[in-house]
Amino acid sequence: MRSSKQRYTWPLCLVLGVAGAGGAGCSAKDSNDARSGGDEPSADAGLASTLLNAKDVPIDGVTKEMARSFAVGDGRFDLPFREADGLGPLYIRAACSACHDGGGRGPGLVQKMTLVDADGTTPSADQSLLAFGHTLRPLLTAGATTPIAPPPGARVKVTTRLGPPVLGRGYIEAVADSEIERVAAEQQARTDGIHGRINRVTFTSEANTDKSFHAHAKGETNLIGRFGVKGRIATIDDFTADAFQGDMGMTSPMRPVELPNPDGLQDDKRPGVDVPLEYVNDISLYLRLIAIPKRADLDEVGRAAFDTALCSTCHVPSMKTRADYPIALLAGIDAPIYTDLLLHDMGPALADGIADGNAGPADWKTAPLIGLRFEKTFLHDGRAHTIEDAILLHDGEARVSLDRFRALSPADGSALVRFVNAL
Ligand code: HEC
Ligand code: HEC
């Protein structure tokens, strides 16, 4: 998202100029208006560093029409919805960008709760007291009076999920199923404890009637979950509809029903479905088109240390995409996403106690290492404030990798951190 017009307009202009697709030449200095004429961008150091700092811009080579769709979707991603638009009756934040600012992590977040045993960490066998699920929904509109909150008197552990970065997600959607299955099978054969698993999920939204991307029917099973911190959703449109409904209380044709709430309200101030399918699809196309931020020349010593420490076993540098992915720029390529899209048990300290499909209470999907230099917090709840802290909090299946990281020479260790920070 772009919270100001200026921040939005100029990187788009630069990228289009460089890709030669925009036809709207614009200089780095006069960058506030995409339509202003001016010098062709020159490959000078200023421009190079501007491009390196560009985030939340479309992938290189998009057509003018795609760039326009990108801008429309970006606008809807940023738009704070109001009560009259159908926000609520319960919600967490009013705009996608509140939790994915500039396509990055947070600042908005979702809190989850689990009933736990007397030790304060073991999830209780019976979670039925959480009649409305594990997600806290604190904000109220449209006559609602009761938020979804921890039941009074219950022993509850509350955990946090910051909105994760959404950069480069089109690449992730495009990765071929066979590629993920291949990596999972390779890991099963390992003897060092690294054995990621696929989260096989069911498509629970109504089918998307715009078939250009969306071939899945409601109830279709066995899809590969690749979105969400536990890989619980298979496609970007399904995630968008889910986020509209769950985080914002905005229903759409794919998720037409308000989630159950303690007041028993079935609708909000806007009768019926709150946003048209177009909104879901515009935002989804925007997300599919966001580039992986440009990477400078990567540190070769760091890259080698990344392999030595087995980081690349889970943070797989590159995965092949489907040849028939509808965005041709993303079809049949090596997607440099630095994730295997698999679930890994990361040990008790990171565990939130919540199971989701095949994902167990300590499982997390390998975080894509994309654009980390723009972030100030790391891991699902942002508990790490540096890349090094994030690495040191790896445990469980990643224990072997942590041990190897610790065994690196100080020079190799810093090179590794520099490498990750540049991804
Ligand atoms: C209240 C904060 C919040 C709001 C509002 C929100 N999100 Fe999210 N988003 C999250 C969190 C937290 C996750 C990880 C959640 C999980 O996996 O359970 C997430 C995950 C995602 C993902 C998956 C990213 C990945 O690669 O795993 C996408 C895509 C996404 N959100 C898009 C959206 C869109 C589109 C909207 C608006 C319609 C939106 N979000 C609104 C917090 C939010
Ligand atoms: C067993 C698989 C596995 C291995 C091996 C592994 N990671 Fe991770 N990594 C993960 C998972 C899963 C997460 C997400 C954990 C979370 O959010 O709590 C993660 C998260 C991260 C993050 C935080 C990213 C973000 O967006 O916040 C960084 C940085 C990272 N890993 C770097 C490394 C490095 C460097 C190595 C090698 C020393 C490594 N990882 C080894 C699975 C692995």
Side-chain angles (χ1 to χ4, degrees), residues 362-379:
D363 284 355
W364 301 99
K365 183 193 69 188
T366 305
L369 304 181
I370 294 176
L372 293 190
R373 64 185 180 278
F374 298 110
E375 302 299 339
K376 294 195 168 57
T377 61
F378 305 94
L379 301 175

mmCIF file with all atom_site columns, all heavy atoms in Angstrom, residues 362-379:
data_model
loop_
_atom_site.group_PDB
_atom_site.id
_atom_site.type_symbol
_atom_site.label_atom_id
_atom_site.label_alt_id
_atom_site.label_comp_id
_atom_site.label_asym_id
_atom_site.label_entity_id
_atom_site.label_seq_id
_atom_site.pdbx_PDB_ins_code
_atom_site.Cartn_x
_atom_site.Cartn_y
_atom_site.Cartn_z
_atom_site.occupancy
_atom_site.B_iso_or_equiv
_atom_site.pdbx_formal_charge
_atom_site.auth_seq_id
_atom_site.auth_comp_id
_atom_site.auth_asym_id
_atom_site.auth_atom_id
_atom_site.pdbx_PDB_model_num
ATOM 1   N N   . ALA A 1 362 ? 3.090  -26.462 16.749 1.00 0.00 ? 362 ALA A N   1
ATOM 2   C CA  . ALA A 1 362 ? 4.419  -25.836 16.709 1.00 0.00 ? 362 ALA A CA  1
ATOM 3   C C   . ALA A 1 362 ? 4.883  -25.625 15.273 1.00 0.00 ? 362 ALA A C   1
ATOM 4   O O   . ALA A 1 362 ? 6.020  -25.244 15.028 1.00 0.00 ? 362 ALA A O   1
ATOM 5   C CB  . ALA A 1 362 ? 5.432  -26.709 17.455 1.00 0.00 ? 362 ALA A CB  1
ATOM 6   N N   . ASP A 1 363 ? 3.986  -25.865 14.325 1.00 0.00 ? 363 ASP A N   1
ATOM 7   C CA  . ASP A 1 363 ? 4.375  -25.789 12.906 1.00 0.00 ? 363 ASP A CA  1
ATOM 8   C C   . ASP A 1 363 ? 4.208  -24.392 12.338 1.00 0.00 ? 363 ASP A C   1
ATOM 9   O O   . ASP A 1 363 ? 3.215  -23.702 12.627 1.00 0.00 ? 363 ASP A O   1
ATOM 10  C CB  . ASP A 1 363 ? 3.502  -26.740 12.067 1.00 0.00 ? 363 ASP A CB  1
ATOM 11  C CG  . ASP A 1 363 ? 3.889  -28.196 12.212 1.00 0.00 ? 363 ASP A CG  1
ATOM 12  O OD1 . ASP A 1 363 ? 4.894  -28.475 12.895 1.00 0.00 ? 363 ASP A OD1 1
ATOM 13  O OD2 . ASP A 1 363 ? 3.191  -29.056 11.651 1.00 0.00 ? 363 ASP A OD2 1
ATOM 14  N N   . TRP A 1 364 ? 5.139  -24.022 11.500 1.00 0.00 ? 364 TRP A N   1
ATOM 15  C CA  . TRP A 1 364 ? 5.048  -22.776 10.727 1.00 0.00 ? 364 TRP A CA  1
ATOM 16  C C   . TRP A 1 364 ? 5.506  -23.059 9.322  1.00 0.00 ? 364 TRP A C   1
ATOM 17  O O   . TRP A 1 364 ? 6.380  -23.910 9.104  1.00 0.00 ? 364 TRP A O   1
ATOM 18  C CB  . TRP A 1 364 ? 5.933  -21.678 11.352 1.00 0.00 ? 364 TRP A CB  1
ATOM 19  C CG  . TRP A 1 364 ? 5.551  -21.385 12.766 1.00 0.00 ? 364 TRP A CG  1
ATOM 20  C CD1 . TRP A 1 364 ? 6.170  -21.863 13.897 1.00 0.00 ? 364 TRP A CD1 1
ATOM 21  C CD2 . TRP A 1 364 ? 4.444  -20.599 13.221 1.00 0.00 ? 364 TRP A CD2 1
ATOM 22  N NE1 . TRP A 1 364 ? 5.506  -21.412 15.015 1.00 0.00 ? 364 TRP A NE1 1
ATOM 23  C CE2 . TRP A 1 364 ? 4.452  -20.626 14.635 1.00 0.00 ? 364 TRP A CE2 1
ATOM 24  C CE3 . TRP A 1 364 ? 3.452  -19.858 12.568 1.00 0.00 ? 364 TRP A CE3 1
ATOM 25  C CZ2 . TRP A 1 364 ? 3.498  -19.961 15.408 1.00 0.00 ? 364 TRP A CZ2 1
ATOM 26  C CZ3 . TRP A 1 364 ? 2.505  -19.190 13.341 1.00 0.00 ? 364 TRP A CZ3 1
ATOM 27  C CH2 . TRP A 1 364 ? 2.540  -19.247 14.738 1.00 0.00 ? 364 TRP A CH2 1
ATOM 28  N N   . LYS A 1 365 ? 4.934  -22.331 8.373  1.00 0.00 ? 365 LYS A N   1
ATOM 29  C CA  . LYS A 1 365 ? 5.405  -22.423 6.989  1.00 0.00 ? 365 LYS A CA  1
ATOM 30  C C   . LYS A 1 365 ? 6.714  -21.638 6.885  1.00 0.00 ? 365 LYS A C   1
ATOM 31  O O   . LYS A 1 365 ? 6.834  -20.554 7.472  1.00 0.00 ? 365 LYS A O   1
ATOM 32  C CB  . LYS A 1 365 ? 4.349  -21.804 6.066  1.00 0.00 ? 365 LYS A CB  1
ATOM 33  C CG  . LYS A 1 365 ? 4.670  -21.878 4.580  1.00 0.00 ? 365 LYS A CG  1
ATOM 34  C CD  . LYS A 1 365 ? 3.728  -20.948 3.790  1.00 0.00 ? 365 LYS A CD  1
ATOM 35  C CE  . LYS A 1 365 ? 4.026  -19.504 4.089  1.00 0.00 ? 365 LYS A CE  1
ATOM 36  N NZ  . LYS A 1 365 ? 3.037  -18.553 3.522  1.00 0.00 ? 365 LYS A NZ  1
ATOM 37  N N   . THR A 1 366 ? 7.687  -22.188 6.176  1.00 0.00 ? 366 THR A N   1
ATOM 38  C CA  . THR A 1 366 ? 8.956  -21.482 5.993  1.00 0.00 ? 366 THR A CA  1
ATOM 39  C C   . THR A 1 366 ? 8.682  -20.079 5.444  1.00 0.00 ? 366 THR A C   1
ATOM 40  O O   . THR A 1 366 ? 8.070  -19.933 4.384  1.00 0.00 ? 366 THR A O   1
ATOM 41  C CB  . THR A 1 366 ? 9.877  -22.235 5.009  1.00 0.00 ? 366 THR A CB  1
ATOM 42  O OG1 . THR A 1 366 ? 10.048 -23.566 5.480  1.00 0.00 ? 366 THR A OG1 1
ATOM 43  C CG2 . THR A 1 366 ? 11.236 -21.546 4.897  1.00 0.00 ? 366 THR A CG2 1
ATOM 44  N N   . ALA A 1 367 ? 9.131  -19.070 6.177  1.00 0.00 ? 367 ALA A N   1
ATOM 45  C CA  . ALA A 1 367 ? 8.886  -17.693 5.746  1.00 0.00 ? 367 ALA A CA  1
ATOM 46  C C   . ALA A 1 367 ? 9.690  -17.412 4.482  1.00 0.00 ? 367 ALA A C   1
ATOM 47  O O   . ALA A 1 367 ? 10.892 -17.692 4.442  1.00 0.00 ? 367 ALA A O   1
ATOM 48  C CB  . ALA A 1 367 ? 9.285  -16.731 6.856  1.00 0.00 ? 367 ALA A CB  1
ATOM 49  N N   . PRO A 1 368 ? 9.049  -16.863 3.443  1.00 0.00 ? 368 PRO A N   1
ATOM 50  C CA  . PRO A 1 368 ? 9.821  -16.462 2.260  1.00 0.00 ? 368 PRO A CA  1
ATOM 51  C C   . PRO A 1 368 ? 10.818 -15.381 2.672  1.00 0.00 ? 368 PRO A C   1
ATOM 52  O O   . PRO A 1 368 ? 10.463 -14.501 3.454  1.00 0.00 ? 368 PRO A O   1
ATOM 53  C CB  . PRO A 1 368 ? 8.770  -15.866 1.316  1.00 0.00 ? 368 PRO A CB  1
ATOM 54  C CG  . PRO A 1 368 ? 7.432  -16.248 1.866  1.00 0.00 ? 368 PRO A CG  1
ATOM 55  C CD  . PRO A 1 368 ? 7.626  -16.517 3.327  1.00 0.00 ? 368 PRO A CD  1
ATOM 56  N N   . LEU A 1 369 ? 12.038 -15.449 2.204  1.00 0.00 ? 369 LEU A N   1
ATOM 57  C CA  . LEU A 1 369 ? 13.002 -14.380 2.516  1.00 0.00 ? 369 LEU A CA  1
ATOM 58  C C   . LEU A 1 369 ? 12.983 -13.399 1.344  1.00 0.00 ? 369 LEU A C   1
ATOM 59  O O   . LEU A 1 369 ? 13.708 -13.553 0.366  1.00 0.00 ? 369 LEU A O   1
ATOM 60  C CB  . LEU A 1 369 ? 14.394 -14.969 2.770  1.00 0.00 ? 369 LEU A CB  1
ATOM 61  C CG  . LEU A 1 369 ? 14.450 -16.037 3.883  1.00 0.00 ? 369 LEU A CG  1
ATOM 62  C CD1 . LEU A 1 369 ? 15.873 -16.551 4.077  1.00 0.00 ? 369 LEU A CD1 1
ATOM 63  C CD2 . LEU A 1 369 ? 13.877 -15.517 5.192  1.00 0.00 ? 369 LEU A CD2 1
ATOM 64  N N   . ILE A 1 370 ? 12.090 -12.456 1.436  1.00 0.00 ? 370 ILE A N   1
ATOM 65  C CA  . ILE A 1 370 ? 11.848 -11.488 0.359  1.00 0.00 ? 370 ILE A CA  1
ATOM 66  C C   . ILE A 1 370 ? 11.749 -10.100 0.971  1.00 0.00 ? 370 ILE A C   1
ATOM 67  O O   . ILE A 1 370 ? 10.898 -9.872  1.842  1.00 0.00 ? 370 ILE A O   1
ATOM 68  C CB  . ILE A 1 370 ? 10.532 -11.812 -0.396 1.00 0.00 ? 370 ILE A CB  1
ATOM 69  C CG1 . ILE A 1 370 ? 10.638 -13.143 -1.151 1.00 0.00 ? 370 ILE A CG1 1
ATOM 70  C CG2 . ILE A 1 370 ? 10.167 -10.670 -1.344 1.00 0.00 ? 370 ILE A CG2 1
ATOM 71  C CD1 . ILE A 1 370 ? 9.339  -13.570 -1.850 1.00 0.00 ? 370 ILE A CD1 1
ATOM 72  N N   . GLY A 1 371 ? 12.618 -9.197  0.540  1.00 0.00 ? 371 GLY A N   1
ATOM 73  C CA  . GLY A 1 371 ? 12.498 -7.800  0.979  1.00 0.00 ? 371 GLY A CA  1
ATOM 74  C C   . GLY A 1 371 ? 12.724 -7.598  2.470  1.00 0.00 ? 371 GLY A C   1
ATOM 75  O O   . GLY A 1 371 ? 12.197 -6.655  3.056  1.00 0.00 ? 371 GLY A O   1
ATOM 76  N N   . LEU A 1 372 ? 13.521 -8.469  3.091  1.00 0.00 ? 372 LEU A N   1
ATOM 77  C CA  . LEU A 1 372 ? 13.697 -8.344  4.551  1.00 0.00 ? 372 LEU A CA  1
ATOM 78  C C   . LEU A 1 372 ? 14.377 -7.037  4.946  1.00 0.00 ? 372 LEU A C   1
ATOM 79  O O   . LEU A 1 372 ? 14.234 -6.570  6.066  1.00 0.00 ? 372 LEU A O   1
ATOM 80  C CB  . LEU A 1 372 ? 14.499 -9.533  5.104  1.00 0.00 ? 372 LEU A CB  1
ATOM 81  C CG  . LEU A 1 372 ? 13.811 -10.895 5.042  1.00 0.00 ? 372 LEU A CG  1
ATOM 82  C CD1 . LEU A 1 372 ? 14.593 -11.916 5.841  1.00 0.00 ? 372 LEU A CD1 1
ATOM 83  C CD2 . LEU A 1 372 ? 12.381 -10.821 5.533  1.00 0.00 ? 372 LEU A CD2 1
ATOM 84  N N   . ARG A 1 373 ? 15.112 -6.431  4.008  1.00 0.00 ? 373 ARG A N   1
ATOM 85  C CA  . ARG A 1 373 ? 15.801 -5.188  4.371  1.00 0.00 ? 373 ARG A CA  1
ATOM 86  C C   . ARG A 1 373 ? 14.820 -4.056  4.670  1.00 0.00 ? 373 ARG A C   1
ATOM 87  O O   . ARG A 1 373 ? 15.185 -3.043  5.249  1.00 0.00 ? 373 ARG A O   1
ATOM 88  C CB  . ARG A 1 373 ? 16.775 -4.770  3.268  1.00 0.00 ? 373 ARG A CB  1
ATOM 89  C CG  . ARG A 1 373 ? 16.130 -4.427  1.943  1.00 0.00 ? 373 ARG A CG  1
ATOM 90  C CD  . ARG A 1 373 ? 17.223 -4.158  0.907  1.00 0.00 ? 373 ARG A CD  1
ATOM 91  N NE  . ARG A 1 373 ? 16.705 -3.814  -0.410 1.00 0.00 ? 373 ARG A NE  1
ATOM 92  C CZ  . ARG A 1 373 ? 16.294 -4.695  -1.308 1.00 0.00 ? 373 ARG A CZ  1
ATOM 93  N NH1 . ARG A 1 373 ? 16.288 -5.988  -1.015 1.00 0.00 ? 373 ARG A NH1 1
ATOM 94  N NH2 . ARG A 1 373 ? 15.874 -4.311  -2.499 1.00 0.00 ? 373 ARG A NH2 1
ATOM 95  N N   . PHE A 1 374 ? 13.547 -4.244  4.262  1.00 0.00 ? 374 PHE A N   1
ATOM 96  C CA  . PHE A 1 374 ? 12.558 -3.213  4.560  1.00 0.00 ? 374 PHE A CA  1
ATOM 97  C C   . PHE A 1 374 ? 11.901 -3.416  5.925  1.00 0.00 ? 374 PHE A C   1
ATOM 98  O O   . PHE A 1 374 ? 11.082 -2.611  6.354  1.00 0.00 ? 374 PHE A O   1
ATOM 99  C CB  . PHE A 1 374 ? 11.456 -3.214  3.490  1.00 0.00 ? 374 PHE A CB  1
ATOM 100 C CG  . PHE A 1 374 ? 11.967 -2.906  2.106  1.00 0.00 ? 374 PHE A CG  1
ATOM 101 C CD1 . PHE A 1 374 ? 11.999 -3.888  1.127  1.00 0.00 ? 374 PHE A CD1 1
ATOM 102 C CD2 . PHE A 1 374 ? 12.422 -1.638  1.792  1.00 0.00 ? 374 PHE A CD2 1
ATOM 103 C CE1 . PHE A 1 374 ? 12.472 -3.611  -0.147 1.00 0.00 ? 374 PHE A CE1 1
ATOM 104 C CE2 . PHE A 1 374 ? 12.893 -1.345  0.518  1.00 0.00 ? 374 PHE A CE2 1
ATOM 105 C CZ  . PHE A 1 374 ? 12.922 -2.335  -0.453 1.00 0.00 ? 374 PHE A CZ  1
ATOM 106 N N   . GLU A 1 375 ? 12.201 -4.530  6.580  1.00 0.00 ? 375 GLU A N   1
ATOM 107 C CA  . GLU A 1 375 ? 11.489 -4.869  7.827  1.00 0.00 ? 375 GLU A CA  1
ATOM 108 C C   . GLU A 1 375 ? 12.316 -4.518  9.056  1.00 0.00 ? 375 GLU A C   1
ATOM 109 O O   . GLU A 1 375 ? 13.541 -4.525  9.023  1.00 0.00 ? 375 GLU A O   1
ATOM 110 C CB  . GLU A 1 375 ? 11.177 -6.375  7.864  1.00 0.00 ? 375 GLU A CB  1
ATOM 111 C CG  . GLU A 1 375 ? 10.332 -6.863  6.689  1.00 0.00 ? 375 GLU A CG  1
ATOM 112 C CD  . GLU A 1 375 ? 8.965  -6.211  6.614  1.00 0.00 ? 375 GLU A CD  1
ATOM 113 O OE1 . GLU A 1 375 ? 8.477  -5.691  7.642  1.00 0.00 ? 375 GLU A OE1 1
ATOM 114 O OE2 . GLU A 1 375 ? 8.395  -6.189  5.503  1.00 0.00 ? 375 GLU A OE2 1
ATOM 115 N N   . LYS A 1 376 ? 11.592 -4.247  10.140 1.00 0.00 ? 376 LYS A N   1
ATOM 116 C CA  . LYS A 1 376 ? 12.260 -3.982  11.417 1.00 0.00 ? 376 LYS A CA  1
ATOM 117 C C   . LYS A 1 376 ? 11.987 -5.088  12.425 1.00 0.00 ? 376 LYS A C   1
ATOM 118 O O   . LYS A 1 376 ? 12.595 -5.145  13.482 1.00 0.00 ? 376 LYS A O   1
ATOM 119 C CB  . LYS A 1 376 ? 11.778 -2.652  11.997 1.00 0.00 ? 376 LYS A CB  1
ATOM 120 C CG  . LYS A 1 376 ? 12.207 -1.481  11.123 1.00 0.00 ? 376 LYS A CG  1
ATOM 121 C CD  . LYS A 1 376 ? 12.056 -0.148  11.842 1.00 0.00 ? 376 LYS A CD  1
ATOM 122 C CE  . LYS A 1 376 ? 12.754 0.956   11.070 1.00 0.00 ? 376 LYS A CE  1
ATOM 123 N NZ  . LYS A 1 376 ? 12.236 1.053   9.671  1.00 0.00 ? 376 LYS A NZ  1
ATOM 124 N N   . THR A 1 377 ? 11.015 -5.949  12.118 1.00 0.00 ? 377 THR A N   1
ATOM 125 C CA  . THR A 1 377 ? 10.734 -7.076  13.003 1.00 0.00 ? 377 THR A CA  1
ATOM 126 C C   . THR A 1 377 ? 10.634 -8.338  12.160 1.00 0.00 ? 377 THR A C   1
ATOM 127 O O   . THR A 1 377 ? 10.293 -8.272  10.977 1.00 0.00 ? 377 THR A O   1
ATOM 128 C CB  . THR A 1 377 ? 9.409  -6.893  13.774 1.00 0.00 ? 377 THR A CB  1
ATOM 129 O OG1 . THR A 1 377 ? 8.341  -6.800  12.843 1.00 0.00 ? 377 THR A OG1 1
ATOM 130 C CG2 . THR A 1 377 ? 9.440  -5.659  14.654 1.00 0.00 ? 377 THR A CG2 1
ATOM 131 N N   . PHE A 1 378 ? 10.919 -9.463  12.781 1.00 0.00 ? 378 PHE A N   1
ATOM 132 C CA  . PHE A 1 378 ? 10.967 -10.729 12.076 1.00 0.00 ? 378 PHE A CA  1
ATOM 133 C C   . PHE A 1 378 ? 10.252 -11.823 12.858 1.00 0.00 ? 378 PHE A C   1
ATOM 134 O O   . PHE A 1 378 ? 10.034 -11.694 14.059 1.00 0.00 ? 378 PHE A O   1
ATOM 135 C CB  . PHE A 1 378 ? 12.436 -11.130 11.826 1.00 0.00 ? 378 PHE A CB  1
ATOM 136 C CG  . PHE A 1 378 ? 13.192 -10.036 11.106 1.00 0.00 ? 378 PHE A CG  1
ATOM 137 C CD1 . PHE A 1 378 ? 13.928 -9.099  11.840 1.00 0.00 ? 378 PHE A CD1 1
ATOM 138 C CD2 . PHE A 1 378 ? 13.118 -9.896  9.736  1.00 0.00 ? 378 PHE A CD2 1
ATOM 139 C CE1 . PHE A 1 378 ? 14.587 -8.061  11.195 1.00 0.00 ? 378 PHE A CE1 1
ATOM 140 C CE2 . PHE A 1 378 ? 13.775 -8.854  9.087  1.00 0.00 ? 378 PHE A CE2 1
ATOM 141 C CZ  . PHE A 1 378 ? 14.520 -7.940  9.813  1.00 0.00 ? 378 PHE A CZ  1
ATOM 142 N N   . LEU A 1 379 ? 9.920  -12.896 12.164 1.00 0.00 ? 379 LEU A N   1
ATOM 143 C CA  . LEU A 1 379 ? 9.151  -14.050 12.648 1.00 0.00 ? 379 LEU A CA  1
ATOM 144 C C   . LEU A 1 379 ? 7.665  -13.684 12.745 1.00 0.00 ? 379 LEU A C   1
ATOM 145 O O   . LEU A 1 379 ? 7.295  -12.510 12.648 1.00 0.00 ? 379 LEU A O   1
ATOM 146 C CB  . LEU A 1 379 ? 9.695  -14.577 13.982 1.00 0.00 ? 379 LEU A CB  1
ATOM 147 C CG  . LEU A 1 379 ? 11.176 -15.022 13.910 1.00 0.00 ? 379 LEU A CG  1
ATOM 148 C CD1 . LEU A 1 379 ? 11.694 -15.413 15.282 1.00 0.00 ? 379 LEU A CD1 1
ATOM 149 C CD2 . LEU A 1 379 ? 11.367 -16.174 12.905 1.00 0.00 ? 379 LEU A CD2 1
#
